Amino acid sequence: MMLRDLCDLFDLKRQTDPDAIPPRRWCRTSVGYELTLDRDGTIVSCVPLAAEGQKLPKLVVPMAYVTRSGQKPVPGFLCDDAQHVFGVGKNKFREELRLMHEQLAKDVLSEVDDDGARAYLSMLRHYGAGMLPRLCAEAMGEDVRPGSNEKENPNLKSNLVFRFLPDGSLLHERTAIVAAWDRYAEAAEQESEQCTCLVLGKVVPRAKLFPQVSGLAGAQSAGAALVSCNADAFSSYGQKIATVGSISREAAEKAGGALNYVLKDDSHHMRLGDDYVCFWTNSSDSIADACLSFIFDSDGIGGSNAIISGRGENVEVRDAVQEALQQMTHGLPPVDVPADTKYHVMGIAPYQARLAARFYQTGSFGDLERNVSLFLRDTQMVGVRLCSLKRYLEQAAVQVESKNLPRSLITSCVRALLDGTAFPDSLAKEIILRTRADHGSRNTFDMGRRAAILRAYLLRKSRNAGQVVREDAERRLTVALNEENENQGYLLGRLFALLDKVQVDAVGDINAGIRERYMGAASTTPARVFPQLLKLAQHHISKSSWGSRIDVLVQRVISKVDDSGFPKTLSYDDQGEFYIGFYQQREALYKKSEKGDKTAKVDVTERID
C-alpha cells in the first residue's frame, strides 16, 4: 500500500506540477561543469557551475543508472564525470569506462538526425581516452604536467553537461535527443525480465534495483534504498538477490521519485531525531498540503493566532492556512480542505544503505482535523503560542534539539497525534528529567511549552481511566491558574513559584537562586526541601516591597496542603502537575494588570468527547 500511494503521488505531481518530480527515466542530480561544443565537436569552453565551497546546482538529466559503485561504474548519458567522458583519473579501468560511455552515446544517438547529437559524437571521436582538454583541466584545477597529480582530483568526479554553441541549448534538452533517449530506455526496459508487479498488479519488466535517496543523515553518501536485499538469506521462493522484490521498474521509479520528492521538499517532511517524518495529501490543492505541513512542523502561531510563516508561501495560501488552523483550534473543520481529502504520514529511518519504514498511516482529513483539534485544545496554555508536535517534542530532548530524541518516542507520539490517543509515559518522564536538569530556563519558551505538553499528557491519560477521572482532570487542569486545584503536586508547584518570586523581588536576579538550586528536589522530595525554603522566604518577604502580598498567597496555598505535611515524594504524574502549577502561578504573578489584557486567566473546562 505504501509503494502504491507513492506511485499515486508521482502521477499526481506529474499532472499538476511537472517541475516538482522528473518524469520516468529522468532524474535530478548535481552538476559541476558545463562544456560548450561547436558544430564540429570542438570544446569551446568549460565553465564551473558553482563557486568553491558552494552547493552544486541540480539539473534534470537522463537517468542512465539507478546506482553505480565499484571499480567499473556504469556510464551516464549526456551527464557524466571526466573519468567516463575523457578516460582520465586514477581508476585503472579508466579506458574501459571511456569506451562504455562512448558506446552508450552511439547506441542512443547514432540514428538521430540532430546537429547537437552529431557534435557530441564528433567530440568523443576527437578526444580519445586520456585526452583531457587543457581548458577543461584548468577549469577543474587539474595539473596536466607530466608526473603531477599524485592524488585524485575530486573535480574529475563531478558531473559534466554539454551545451550546443550555435543555438545555446543544452544537449540533453534538445527535442530529438530527448525522444531518442526515451525510445532507447523503453526498449532496454522491455528486454528485461518480466514479473507480476505487486504494486501495479500487472505483468511488466522487473526492477533490478530500487532508486536511491541521497543526502540523508545516517545513510551512505551514495544513497540508500527503501527496497533492497544483499544476501541469499533474505531471498525466497528461488529468487535472486537483485530480484527479491516482485516490483516493476515503472513502480520502482515512480515510488523512488516520489520518495525523493517528499524527502527533499521541506514542506513535506520534518526531521525528528535520526528519523524523517514524511507527509503528503492526495489533493492537488496547495492549501491541503500547506495545512498538513503546518500541523507537523509549523513556525508557530502568534499571540493573535496569526501563523508566522517563514517558508515563503504566497499570501493567499498563508491566509487560508491561518484560517484553517484557527477553525481547527476551535474544534471546527477547515473550510478550505474537503473532509474526504486523504493524508499520508510515513516515518523513515536511514540505516547506511537502507531506509527503514518505521510506520505508515493514512486516513481522511476529516479524521485528522478532529484529532488535531483535540491536540490543539489539550496543549492550550496561558502565555504559550500554539505550535506543532515537533516543537513540543524538542522539550524532551537534550539541549532542546530534535536530533537527540529517542526513536521510540517519535513513533509513539506521532501516532498519538494522528489517532487522538494517549501520549506515552516516556514523554512525560523525559520532559520532567529535562526540567530537573535545566530548570526550564534555557529560553523563555521552554517552561510554557513543557507545561502545555504535560497538560496534554495528563488529560489524555485520564480519558483512558474512566469518566469520573476524566471529568476531574478536565476540571483541574485548566488553561490558566486554577486556584481550586488541590492536587498536592500542583499546590507545591504554585508554592515554589511564589517563593521564587519573593526571592527575585528581594535580591534581584542571581546566578543560583532557589529555582536553579532546589527545583528538582522540590518536585521529587518536597518534605526535605520546603521547610528550609519557607524559613529562607521570611527574610526575603521582609525585604520585598510586595512581600506582604506574596505572604498572603503563600498562606493560602499552604492551607490547602495535606494536613499530614509536605509529602515525602511525588509520583511522575504529580511532578507533571507540579511544573504546570509552577508555570501557571508564575504567569499569574507576572501578567499585566491592564484592563483587557490578553494574558488574563482563561477558563477552558469544557468536556472533550
Side-chain angles (χ1 to χ4, degrees):
M1 183 176 69
M2 179 174 61
L3 295 180
R4 175 72 262 181
D5 291 339
L6 285 171
C7 289
D8 291 342
L9 175 63
F10 179 93
D11 293 335
L12 175 66
K13 299 308 292 187
R14 289 298 306 161
Q15 293 175 5
T16 60
D17 187 9
D19 294 333
I21 302 180
R24 281 195 62 206
R25 308 181 187 96
W26 294 74
C27 66
R28 186 173 278 109
T29 191
S30 300
V31 178
Y33 298 89
E34 181 184 287
L35 277 63
T36 304
L37 306 182
D38 207 344
R39 192 177 296 274
D40 60 357
T42 304
I43 298 177
V44 178
S45 66
C46 177
V47 180
L49 297 183
E52 185 176 355
Q54 293 183 345
K55 294 184 66 174
L56 298 178
K58 289 183 176 291
L59 303 181
V60 176
V61 299
M63 185 171 65
Y65 51 85
V66 175
T67 182
R68 58 179 183 179
S69 59
Q71 294 182 315
K72 295 182 181 180
V74 295
F77 176 66
L78 293 180
C79 178
D80 215 335
D81 53 35
Q83 68 176 356
H84 280 83
V85 178
F86 299 108
V88 296
K90 298 301 180 182
N91 192 323
K92 64 181 179 180
F93 299 107
R94 54 186 175 275
E95 293 185 6
E96 293 184 44
L97 299 180
R98 170 69 169 73
L99 292 175
M100 291 163 58
H101 177 87
E102 184 175 7
Q103 186 60 49
L104 176 61
K106 290 179 179 179
D107 292 343
V108 180
L109 300 175
S110 57
E111 303 298 328
V112 178
D113 184 16
D114 182 83
D115 290 339
R118 286 187 284 269
Y120 188 72
L121 293 175
S122 177
M123 181 208 74
L124 294 178
R125 289 192 299 269
H126 180 71
Y127 299 100
M131 296 176 59
L132 182 65
R134 180 173 291 274
L135 54 87
C136 294
E138 292 175 352
M140 298 178 187
E142 178 76 359
D143 195 341
V144 297
R145 293 175 298 177
S148 61
N149 278 340
E150 295 182 359
K151 294 183 179 180
E152 180 76 53
N153 185 350
N155 293 330
L156 296 179
K157 295 185 178 181
S158 295
N159 284 326
L160 317 173
V161 293
F162 304 87
R163 190 176 294 276
F164 190 51
L165 180 60
D167 60 14
S169 63
L170 287 169
L171 292 186
H172 65 269
E173 294 179 352
R174 296 174 68 87
T175 304
I177 295 179
V178 169
W181 168 251
D182 286 337
R183 287 194 303 270
Y184 173 83
E186 173 68 21
E189 181 177 319
Q190 294 303 321
E191 293 175 359
S192 62
E193 178 187 358
Q194 303 288 304
C195 75
T196 302
C197 180
L198 297 177
V199 180
L200 303 179
K202 56 184 179 181
V203 178
V204 282
R206 184 195 296 272
K208 290 185 177 180
L209 295 172
F210 197 87
Q212 294 192 324
V213 180
S214 60
L216 299 182
Q220 290 182 350
S221 58
L226 185 62
V227 180
S228 65
C229 177
N230 70 336
D232 292 333
F234 305 125
S235 300
S236 60
Y237 299 100
Q239 294 182 351
K240 298 178 182 178
I241 291 174
T243 59
V244 65
S246 188
I247 302 173
S248 65
R249 292 182 65 172
E250 178 183 353
E253 289 182 15
K254 284 184 175 181
L259 184 61
N260 264 289
Y261 165 69
V262 297
L263 285 171
K264 301 296 183 182
D265 188 349
D266 290 340
S267 64
H268 285 88
H269 79 271
M270 67 174 178
R271 187 178 177 191
L272 282 174
D274 294 326
D275 291 3
Y276 293 81
V277 179
C278 309
F279 35 83
W280 69 93
T281 70
N282 69 338
S283 172
S284 59
D285 188 354
S286 59
I287 295 176
D289 274 344
C291 281
L292 196 60
S293 173
F294 276 104
I295 286 170
F296 280 99
D297 192 13
S298 68
D299 294 308
I301 305 177
S304 60
N305 281 344
I307 291 177
I308 304 171
S309 172
R311 297 182 177 178
E313 286 92 355
N314 61 55
V315 176
E316 293 182 0
V317 173
R318 184 196 64 199
D319 292 344
V321 173
Q322 173 182 323
E323 182 179 358
L325 200 52
Q326 285 178 341
Q327 292 285 100
M328 295 168 73
T329 304
H330 294 90
L332 301 174
V335 293
D336 293 311
V337 182
D340 60 351
T341 299
K342 200 173 182 180
Y343 75 88
H344 308 267
V345 181
M346 176 171 55
I348 294 290
Y351 291 98
Q352 295 301 317
R354 290 172 182 77
L355 300 177
R358 294 188 59 81
F359 63 87
Y360 180 69
Q361 185 160 332
T362 183
S364 69
F365 216 92
D367 293 335
L368 179 65
E369 65 85 10
R370 283 191 290 273
N371 291 327
V372 171
S373 296
L374 180 63
F375 171 77
L376 294 175
R377 282 180 284 166
D378 285 347
T379 55
Q380 276 189 302
M381 182 63 62
V382 61
V384 180
R385 298 186 304 177
L386 296 174
C387 56
S388 66
L389 176 65
K390 177 181 179 180
R391 301 296 178 223
Y392 290 121
L393 291 186
E394 287 174 345
Q395 297 300 326
V398 177
Q399 296 181 342
V400 197
E401 293 186 5
S402 59
K403 67 180 182 181
N404 296 324
L405 281 172
R407 279 177 166 156
S408 59
L409 189 62
I410 296 168
T411 302
S412 55
C413 288
V414 171
R415 284 178 172 164
L417 169 64
L418 297 176
D419 297 334
T421 55
F423 288 111
D425 293 340
S426 57
L427 173 62
K429 291 179 181 179
E430 290 293 336
I431 289 179
I432 289 171
L433 290 174
R434 280 291 90 223
T435 310
R436 287 184 201 167
D438 62 15
H439 322 108
S441 57
R442 186 173 180 272
N443 64 54
T444 56
F445 305 108
D446 285 349
M447 200 65 226
R449 287 179 178 173
R450 293 177 188 182
I453 195 63
L454 286 171
R455 175 177 181 263
Y457 161 78
L458 292 170
L459 284 174
R460 293 189 174 210
K461 184 176 181 179
S462 70
R463 292 176 193 139
N464 294 331
Q467 182 176 357
V468 175
V469 177
R470 182 188 69 176
E471 292 178 350
D472 178 63
E474 291 173 355
R475 184 174 58 254
R476 293 195 331 268
L477 299 171
T478 53
V479 175
L481 178 65
N482 181 8
E483 296 183 353
E484 304 302 320
N485 186 346
E486 296 188 1
N487 174 274
Q488 294 300 292
Y490 188 85
L491 290 172
L492 294 176
R494 289 184 57 195
L495 179 58
F496 192 83
L498 294 170
L499 300 181
D500 178 58
K501 178 66 165 61
V502 76
Q503 182 187 55
V504 172
D505 289 345
V507 300
D509 291 329
I510 56 178
N511 292 332
I514 66 169
R515 179 171 177 175
E516 289 75 21
R517 296 178 62 187
Y518 296 107
M519 175 175 270
S523 64
T524 54
T525 55
R528 296 181 59 185
V529 176
F530 273 101
Q532 179 181 353
L533 293 180
L534 289 171
K535 290 179 182 179
L536 182 63
Q538 296 306 312
H539 301 287
H540 295 150
I541 289 173
S542 62
K543 296 179 181 179
S544 173
S545 57
W546 294 90
S548 58
R549 175 175 175 265
I550 298 294
D551 190 32
V552 171
L553 294 175
V554 168
Q555 295 302 321
R556 288 180 184 175
V557 174
I558 291 179
S559 67
K560 297 180 181 180
V561 174
D562 196 303
D563 293 339
S564 60
F566 295 110
K568 293 182 179 180
T569 59
L570 291 178
S571 66
Y572 270 110
D573 286 358
D574 287 341
Q575 288 179 51
E577 294 216 30
F578 176 96
Y579 292 118
I580 295 173
F582 171 83
Y583 173 76
Q584 291 183 343
Q585 180 66 73
R586 194 166 180 271
E587 282 293 299
L589 289 171
Y590 284 95
K591 72 178 182 181
K592 297 178 181 179
S593 59
E594 289 84 355
K595 185 177 181 181
D597 172 38
K598 295 182 180 180
T599 63
K601 177 180 176 181
V602 181
D603 185 17
V604 178
T605 57
E606 61 177 343
R607 288 180 55 184
I608 301 174
D609 296 322

